[in-house]
DNA sequence: GAGCACTGC
């Protein structure tokens, strides 16, 4: 039966009048860019137009950056289409494939399509691919762009559509052979922009939280009714801003202080950030009580992922917290940086969703004009380790001449090649090895894929290691309560999971206790663990096990044979290994991890509880430490079992550790640290030397830490290893000025970390 | 000092 209401709704969308034109364009053009603002209906309608107008198409794929979007849009469209979800129209996200052999329209995350492409780079199942929300420029979207361009050469009959909001998209058309751009007028309201008279962005860095609060109070007292959305950068300052505004509100005399007091008689204040446990709660998204104004202090979640309805005023601090990979140290830096003009426009737009509104920028117009036009795409800020491995797997050996819409910095490519070589995923000619080929089957960081394979093929402990690997693949599992008492309770409860070897075994302990609890939500709440994260770890473990089975990787346990459980359930110690663990052969597990993480080996300072990255410390720079040899002091994260305050192990007993990752803000913190023996890694450290040769010809950029990374030379390998690195030097230099600015920010952070003077000389 | 923005396979 035809549902007239749905038809009327579909026909009322801004995109509807262009239906025939769009269909014609698709008929005539293999490549097409479509621009349409939120609410134009492009995401739900254009795929349906194709479905209806091209019955010969077997499969149409539509990518989204987020899982939730793929699900909700597929639901909506299948409803409009009058079919059951998973029949004609379905979606596919990790852990949840809701498609069937009948499915002709498939919504999916861009990551899913990318993984499909590693198996079939021609994407032979598809007759049309639509990359939606392209302006977000996720790492996956950018890689897909390059692949699709290549696929277009091989399969010109494949229809490729790029859909984007209206943010500087000529670039997309330029990239795709100057293809036509189709513009769908939007349906948004005017937003008046108020810049601060003279505030420079540089002077705001220490004051923007306070100024945001003051501006919110100003709007509240002087402007007509309407809710306020404030963009800040992180959890701590959001909580502080909420408290400060509450205090100010308490002191208000509404009758005298508030201009529109007849309509504005109160204030409700909410924080919102992604890790907020109560984010699912509806109150933030509901209308506030009558005569009450709502203020929401938000991170960037409110810029892209969640929409808070009814916002009339936006306050833009001008800052965002952004993660940038530092290829010279191989570490991530999480830093507060000024936003781009595009981001500022997007933030302001949040005030015009349902009616006209106003944006208050805490920075001057001049500062706005000095901002970067666009946010640096993720591909230029991320480690390319996994990306390069996938590309190699697809047979794209020459990463350099691969067409990226915005090519990553050569140093990033070089860093990825180095690390892949150290993981033995590529050989000294840059070619994928058998091991590398096997590593690419797992949806994991190549470091972890390597560990998993080692645990299965070499160390016979894969049944346990697969759990730890899954735990390392999820977001933060510890919840830190704001309340001081609860925080102490959380710290206390964490102790039961500690293991003297460190955090990898702690993660195994946590997962096993979680499993014993029946994967209970209540158990997580009691122990202050993030249930969402632990559930995700379980799903990942299951998926990894399936993949291992499919690819004949044995699942073996390192549970000690003579370990027994007494009748009363208590454990009886029969055999001890060096960690006194009664259940497992801990050493084999840690040796598995060492097969990758010898790259992240750190040695303790002789007199202080700080560590130095081994490969940096043994480079030529170590002989005479000057201001340029960036030896970063690595601190153990407070959440680590090995942190000195936790007193699980004496600092003097820690000589060598490996860590899973380092993130620096003001200082460099090692996350997930375990004690290792040098003998486990000694042999593998030789790979650094092999790598060193490649650098001798100096053909690569002359960054400082370049030298730090390498040990002695080995002329025998000179010619062979060169080619590992040869690609990168040929990458054409992009906008140097932009790049320099970006590097300056990271460099400043590194200098700050260094300035904490935990390092001077190695005694 | 002692803390991490946001996604995703």
């Amino acid at each position: 039966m035809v549902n007239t209401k749905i038809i009327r709704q579909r026909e009322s969308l801004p995109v509807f009048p262009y239906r025939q034109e769009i269909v014609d364009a698709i008929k005539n053009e293999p490549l097409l860019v479509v621009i349409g603002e939120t609410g134009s209906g492009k995401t739900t309608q254009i795929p349906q137009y194709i479905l209806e107008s091209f019955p010969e198409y077997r499969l149409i794929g539509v990518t989204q950056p987020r899982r939730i979007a793929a699900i909700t849009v597929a639901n909506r469209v299948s409803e409009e289409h009058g079919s059951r979800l998973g029949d004609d129209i379905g979606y596919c996200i990790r852990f949840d494939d809701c498609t069937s052999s009948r499915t002709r329209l498939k919504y999916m995350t861009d990551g899913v399509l990318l993984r499909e492409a590693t198996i079939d780079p021609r994407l032979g199942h598809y007759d049309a691919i639509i990359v939606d929300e392209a302006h977000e420029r996720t790492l996956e979207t950018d890689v897909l762009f390059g692949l699709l361009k290549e696929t277009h050469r091989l399969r010109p009959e494949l229809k490729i559509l790029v859909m984007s909001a209206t943010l500087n998209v000529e670039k997309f058309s330029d990239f795709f052979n100057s293809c036509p751009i189709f513009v769908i007028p939007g349906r948004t309201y005017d937003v008046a922009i108020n810049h601060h008279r003279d505030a420079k962005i540089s002077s705001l860095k220490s004051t923007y939280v306070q100024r945001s609060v003051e501006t919110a109070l100003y709007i509240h007292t002087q402007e007509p009714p309407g809710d306020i959305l404030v963009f800040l950068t992180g959890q701590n300052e959001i909580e502080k801003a909420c408290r400060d505004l509450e205090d100010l509100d308490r002191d208000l005399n509404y009758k005298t202080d508030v201009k529109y007091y007849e309509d504005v008689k109160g204030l409700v204040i909410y924080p919102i950030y992604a890790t907020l446990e109560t984010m699912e709660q509806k109150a933030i998204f509901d209308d506030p009580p009558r005569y009450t104004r709502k203020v929401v202090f938000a991170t960037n979640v409110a810029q892209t992922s969640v929409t808070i309805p009814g916002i009339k005023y936006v306050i833009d601090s001008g800052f965002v917290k952004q993660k940038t990979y530092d290829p010279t140290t191989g570490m991530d830096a999480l830093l507060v940086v000024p936003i781009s003009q595009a981001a500022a426009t997007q933030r302001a737009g949040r005030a015009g969703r349902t009616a006209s509104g106003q944006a208050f920028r805490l920075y001057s117009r001049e500062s706005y004009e000095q901002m970067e036009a666009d946010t640096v795409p993720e591909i230029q800020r991320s480690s390319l380790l996994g990306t390069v491995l996938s590309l190699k797997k697809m047979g794209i050996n020459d990463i350099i001449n691969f067409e990226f819409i915005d090519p990553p910095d050569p140093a990033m490519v070089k860093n990825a090649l180095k690390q892949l070589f150290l993981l033995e995923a590529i050989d000294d000619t840059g070619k994928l090895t058998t091991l590398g080929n096997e590593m690419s089957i797992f949806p994991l960081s190549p470091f972890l894929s390597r560990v998993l394979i080692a645990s299965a093929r070499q160390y016979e402990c894969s049944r346990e290691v697969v759990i730890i690997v899954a735990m390392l693949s999820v977001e933060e599992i510890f919840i830190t309560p704001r309340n001081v008492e609860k925080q102490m309770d959380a710290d206390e409860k964490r102790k039961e999971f500690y293991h003297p070897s460190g955090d990898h075994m702690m993660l195994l302990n946590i997962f096993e206790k979680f499993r014993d609890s029946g994967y209970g939500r209540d158990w997580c709440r009691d122990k202050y663990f993030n249930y969402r994260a632990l559930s995700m770890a379980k799903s990942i473990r299951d998926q990894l096990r399936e993949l291992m089975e499919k690819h004949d990787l044995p699942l073996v346990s390192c549970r000690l044979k003579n370990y027994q459980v007494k009748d009363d359930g208590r454990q009886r110690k029969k055999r001890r290994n060096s960690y006194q663990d009664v259940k497992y052969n801990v050493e084999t597990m840690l040796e598995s991890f060492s097969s990758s993480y010898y790259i992240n080996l750190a040695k303790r300072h002789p007199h202080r509880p700080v560590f130095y990255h081994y490969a940096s410390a043994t480079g030529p720079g170590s002989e005479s430490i000057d201001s340029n040899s960036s030896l970063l002091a690595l601190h153990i994260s407070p959440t680590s079992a090995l942190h000195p305050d936790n007193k699980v192990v004496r600092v003097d007993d820690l000589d060598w550790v490996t860590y899973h990752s380092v993130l620096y803000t003001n200082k460099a913190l090692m996350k997930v640290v375990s004690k290792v023996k040098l003998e486990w890694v000694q042999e593998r450290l030789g790979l650094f030397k092999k790598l060193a040769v490649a650098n001798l010809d100096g053909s690569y950029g002359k960054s400082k830490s370049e030298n730090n990374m390498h040990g002695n030379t080995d002329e025998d390998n000179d010619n062979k290893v060169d080619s590992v690195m040869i690609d990168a030097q040929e990458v054409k230099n992009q906008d140097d000025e932009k790049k320099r600015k970006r590097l300056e920010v990271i460099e400043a952070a590194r200098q700050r970390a260094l300035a904490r003077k935990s390092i001077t000389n190695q005694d």
Side-chain angles (χ1 to χ4, degrees):
Chain A
M1 201 184 80
V2 181
N3 186 327
T4 48
K5 192 179 157 204
I6 284 178
I7 290 176
R8 231 180 292 125
Q9 273 174 7
R10 286 189 65 186
E11 293 183 352
S12 71
L13 289 164
V15 69
F16 181 72
Y18 304 92
R19 178 184 166 132
Q20 195 53 49
E21 276 180 72
I22 291 171
V23 169
D24 289 345
I26 293 168
K27 200 169 286 170
N28 300 325
E29 306 285 345
L31 305 166
L32 189 63
V33 172
V34 177
I35 295 169
E37 284 176 51
T38 323
S40 64
K42 65 179 189 314
T43 303
T44 56
Q45 302 307 304
I46 291 177
Q48 288 192 77
Y49 298 164
I50 300 175
L51 194 65
E52 291 155 359
S53 307
F54 300 90
E56 70 275 22
Y57 285 2
R58 295 154 302 157
L59 187 57
I60 304 154
V62 186
T63 71
Q64 297 289 325
R66 280 171 292 281
R67 297 161 58 94
I68 186 78
I71 298 173
T72 52
V73 176
N75 259 297
R76 173 79 198 155
V77 171
S78 73
E79 193 187 312
E80 285 183 7
H81 190 256
S83 66
R84 218 185 45 181
L85 189 64
D87 280 356
D88 290 6
I89 293 143
Y91 66 86
C92 184
I93 59 179
R94 189 183 190 185
F95 309 130
D96 191 5
D97 181 357
C98 187
T99 62
S100 63
S101 55
R102 292 182 304 282
T103 301
R104 290 184 55 223
L105 174 54
K106 177 172 167 185
Y107 285 90
M108 61 186 127
T109 46
D110 44 20
V112 166
L113 186 62
L114 202 54
R115 197 132 273 282
E116 288 182 9
T118 51
I119 297 159
D120 173 21
R122 293 171 57 89
L123 296 168
H125 295 108
Y126 296 91
D127 294 296
I129 298 281
I130 303 175
V131 180
D132 199 5
E133 310 291 357
H135 60 277
E136 291 200 24
R137 302 294 304 275
T138 66
L139 177 63
E140 289 81 5
T141 298
D142 270 22
V143 177
L144 278 174
F145 279 162
L147 286 174
L148 287 171
K149 191 160 181 181
E150 183 63 26
T151 312
H152 172 66
R153 270 183 221 117
L154 302 169
R155 291 181 58 207
E157 75 282 7
L158 177 73
K159 297 292 183 186
I160 297 169
L161 259 79
V162 173
M163 303 207 295
S164 169
T166 57
L167 292 164
N168 315 337
V169 289
E170 297 78 13
K171 194 171 209 163
F172 296 147
S173 164
D174 291 349
F175 180 72
F176 285 109
N177 307 343
S178 304
C179 70
I181 301 175
F182 203 104
V183 182
I184 302 160
R187 188 190 276 167
T188 49
Y189 298 87
D190 288 340
V191 177
I193 311 276
N194 307 289
H195 285 99
H196 188 273
R197 211 179 319 113
D198 49 21
K200 289 201 179 91
I201 197 92
S202 53
S203 70
L204 276 172
K205 201 152 186 181
S206 54
T207 58
Y208 67 82
V209 179
Q210 191 199 338
R211 286 178 185 233
S212 298
V213 172
E214 286 164 3
T215 308
L217 189 73
Y218 164 80
I219 295 169
H220 183 49
T221 55
Q222 304 302 320
E223 297 283 339
D227 297 340
I228 307 171
L229 175 61
V230 190
F231 285 101
L232 294 174
T233 74
Q235 177 175 349
N236 273 334
E237 63 191 35
I238 284 172
E239 301 281 357
K240 182 178 183 335
C242 287
R243 284 193 307 269
D244 289 355
L245 186 59
E246 264 162 30
D247 291 345
L248 291 171
D249 179 51
R250 212 171 293 127
D251 296 338
L252 278 185
N253 180 336
Y254 273 73
K255 279 205 171 140
T256 55
D257 297 341
V258 178
K259 193 169 167 189
Y260 294 88
Y261 75 93
E262 301 240 325
D263 298 313
V264 180
K265 297 181 193 299
L267 191 61
V268 286
I269 303 167
Y270 296 108
I272 185 166
Y273 40 86
T275 48
L276 191 66
E277 279 179 276
T278 54
M279 189 159 120
E280 290 80 11
Q281 286 178 8
K282 294 288 283 175
I284 300 175
F285 302 100
D286 289 345
D287 284 338
R290 206 163 141 82
Y291 302 123
T292 307
R293 197 196 296 271
K294 178 169 73 175
V295 177
V296 178
F297 288 97
T299 59
N300 248 23
V301 271
Q303 195 182 303
T304 47
S305 311
V306 301
T307 302
I308 299 157
I311 296 297
K312 193 172 172 63
Y313 305 97
V314 159
I315 300 173
D316 178 10
S317 65
F319 289 95
V320 67
K321 220 172 254 185
Q322 201 172 60
K323 194 152 103 176
T324 303
Y325 184 73
D326 179 350
T328 63
T329 56
M331 299 167 190
D332 280 316
L334 186 67
L335 304 167
V336 174
V337 296
I339 59 171
S340 66
Q341 292 176 350
T345 305
Q346 217 175 347
R347 285 179 173 188
R350 290 285 161 169
R353 295 294 295 261
T354 42
S356 59
Q358 287 193 70
F360 292 79
R361 292 179 174 162
L362 299 185
Y363 43 91
S364 65
R365 173 171 290 283
E366 196 191 354
S367 288
Y368 169 79
E369 277 156 11
Q370 286 166 357
M371 286 170 169
E372 298 285 343
D374 295 295
T375 305
V376 177
E378 199 183 355
I379 197 166
Q380 296 183 335
R381 295 187 281 115
S382 311
S383 162
L384 298 176
L385 194 57
T387 302
V388 172
L389 182 65
S390 299
L391 289 175
K392 296 251 177 202
K393 167 71 182 173
M394 291 180 233
I396 298 160
N397 252 312
D398 184 2
I399 309 299
I400 278 334
N401 291 314
F402 183 71
E403 264 190 89
F404 288 109
I405 185 164
D406 280 310
D409 192 298
M412 293 283 203
V413 179
K414 186 181 88 176
N415 169 279
L417 290 168
K418 266 186 192 171
Q419 301 222 30
L420 286 173
F421 177 76
L422 292 172
L423 293 173
E424 297 173 303
I426 57 176
D427 64 17
D428 53 12
T429 69
K431 227 179 74 202
L432 199 65
T433 61
T434 312
L435 181 61
N437 197 52
E438 200 164 37
M439 281 162 66
S440 72
I441 65 179
F442 293 106
L444 289 171
S445 140
F447 274 73
L448 292 174
S449 303
R450 175 77 178 88
V451 168
L452 200 51
I453 291 166
S455 75
R457 296 233 188 274
Q458 197 178 347
Y459 295 105
E460 301 182 326
C461 51
S462 52
R463 188 172 284 279
E464 289 76 32
V465 165
V466 73
I467 290 171
I468 305 171
V469 164
M471 290 287 275
L472 288 168
S473 303
V474 300
E475 57 181 314
E476 182 66 58
I477 55 167
F478 300 112
I479 287 172
T480 316
R482 307 288 307 164
N483 174 312
V484 181
E485 254 171 54
K486 281 190 171 180
Q487 195 172 324
M488 282 167 62
D489 189 33
D491 289 348
E492 195 57 36
K493 281 178 169 158
R494 196 170 298 166
K495 286 186 179 147
E496 90 178 78
F497 304 98
Y498 285 158
H499 190 281
S501 73
D503 300 325
H504 292 86
M505 291 309 121
M506 175 167 69
L507 292 177
L508 180 60
N509 279 341
I510 292 169
F511 187 90
E512 293 195 322
K513 297 257 171 62
F514 174 56
R515 184 185 58 199
D516 295 345
S517 80
Y519 304 109
R521 188 187 282 268
D522 291 341
W523 182 85
C524 289
R525 192 178 302 123
D526 179 55
K527 305 288 185 190
Y528 301 94
F529 291 128
N530 182 344
Y531 174 73
R532 199 171 54 187
L534 290 184
S535 304
M536 182 62 83
K538 178 183 182 296
S539 301
I540 293 174
R541 181 202 62 173
D542 295 344
Q543 187 192 29
L544 295 177
R545 279 183 178 177
E546 265 178 49
L547 283 167
M548 289 173 75
E549 207 167 309
K550 191 172 153 196
H551 290 90
D552 293 322
L553 280 153
L555 204 59
V556 272
S557 174
C558 61
R559 205 178 174 89
L560 297 171
K561 284 195 190 73
N562 39 14
Y563 167 77
Q564 290 175 1
V565 177
K566 269 192 184 174
D567 288 340
D568 63 359
R570 277 196 311 184
Q571 296 161 0
R572 179 164 42 169
K573 297 177 189 176
K574 277 238 172 154
R575 181 190 143 183
R576 298 177 168 208
N577 61 23
S578 61
Y579 288 115
Q580 320 262 310
D581 195 288
V582 293
K583 272 174 84 175
Y584 294 120
N585 190 339
V586 173
E587 292 204 359
T588 59
M589 288 188 262
L590 292 175
E591 282 188 80
S592 301
F593 278 92
S594 298
S595 67
S596 289
Y597 289 90
Y598 78 97
I599 296 170
N600 292 352
L601 178 68
K603 188 182 197 308
R604 186 174 52 83
H605 185 282
H607 310 305
R608 297 199 196 91
V610 298
F611 294 76
Y612 305 106
H613 184 224
Y614 172 81
S616 303
T618 52
S622 63
E623 285 129 34
S624 62
I625 291 170
D626 56 32
S627 59
N628 278 338
S629 67
S630 321
L631 260 193
L632 213 54
L634 306 175
H635 299 254
I636 296 179
S637 160
T639 52
S640 171
L642 298 183
H643 189 275
D645 289 356
N646 293 330
K647 297 186 169 42
V648 174
V649 56
R650 286 179 51 231
V651 178
D652 293 352
D653 290 338
L654 284 176
D655 290 323
W656 297 93
V657 297
T658 58
Y659 54 85
H660 182 252
S661 63
V662 168
L663 187 117
Y664 56 94
T665 48
N666 284 320
K667 68 180 187 180
L669 274 190
M670 295 185 281
K671 300 278 297 185
V672 190
V673 187
S674 282
K675 200 174 151 179
V676 293
K677 292 182 181 166
L678 192 57
E679 67 208 54
W680 298 344
V681 296
Q682 204 118 46
E683 197 183 315
R684 303 194 54 74
L685 289 172
L687 283 165
F688 276 109
K689 289 190 179 174
K690 286 195 182 172
L691 184 57
V693 204
N695 196 43
L696 282 182
D697 63 10
S699 57
Y700 269 104
K702 286 142 188 120
S703 74
K704 317 167 239 189
S705 68
E706 176 82 20
N707 301 325
N708 293 343
M709 279 294 281
H710 310 302
N712 300 323
T713 63
D714 182 350
E715 293 186 3
D716 294 346
N717 286 329
D718 213 356
N719 297 325
K720 277 196 249 167
V721 190
D722 266 3
S723 45
V724 179
M725 300 303 157
I726 245 153
D727 311 323
Q729 96 190 51
E730 290 162 14
V731 173
K732 58 175 185 283
N733 267 347
Q734 30 164 352
D735 192 337
D736 281 345
E737 175 62 14
K738 261 190 182 173
K739 186 180 126 191
R740 191 183 55 75
K741 270 194 193 165
R742 203 153 71 233
L743 292 180
E744 263 175 19
V745 176
I746 304 176
E747 182 58 25
R750 193 188 307 142
Q751 291 305 327
R752 274 205 305 281
L754 282 167
R756 300 177 81 91
K757 64 190 163 191
S758 344
I759 306 207
T760 42
N761 282 305
Q762 303 261 304
D763 314 38

